[in-house]
Amino acid sequence: MVLAAGGLVSFLISLWLTRGLTFHGDDFLYFIANRGFDFRVLIGPHNGNLIFVPRLLYAVVLALGGVRDYIVFRLLEALGVVLAAALFFALARRHI
């Protein structure tokens, strides 16, 4: 119950802290280089790094709704933070 409450608070704080933000830098490159779900593009390096999951998320969001508002990306980021905390808790709980 505490984890769920903490996750909700973290989710809301993350949304509040990212209010007013918009696309920048690499976001534009993802839009320009977006080729949908082409596997070679999804697993291709970006500045020497594998970024399969972010590219896949961008491809899904662009295919479903485009880029009308940054809220979709803010929600995904906030959900990712909560998910990472929950996974850490699940793993740490086994070892403590």
Side-chain angles (χ1 to χ4, degrees):
M1 191 61 135
V2 173
L3 180 64
L8 178 62
V9 169
S10 174
F11 185 83
L12 295 174
I13 288 173
S14 181
L15 287 179
W16 184 75
L17 290 174
T18 59
R19 71 192 185 285
L21 293 182
T22 187
F23 300 102
H24 65 283
D26 288 340
D27 295 330
F28 291 120
L29 180 61
Y30 296 150
F31 299 141
I32 293 168
N34 181 37
R35 292 185 182 82
F37 298 100
D38 182 15
F39 187 69
R40 288 183 182 170
V41 173
L42 290 175
I43 65 167
H46 176 72
N47 290 333
N49 300 306
L50 175 63
I51 55 167
F52 175 76
V53 174
R55 279 191 176 165
L56 181 62
L57 289 174
Y58 271 87
V60 168
V61 170
L62 291 174
L64 292 178
V67 291
R68 298 192 74 134
D69 193 8
Y70 199 62
I71 187 70
V72 176
F73 296 98
R74 290 174 51 215
L75 290 170
L76 287 172
E77 181 271 332
L79 185 63
V81 169
V82 172
L83 181 62
L87 289 173
F88 176 77
F89 178 79
L91 291 172
R93 187 176 185 185
R94 289 186 196 168
H95 298 286
I96 293 177

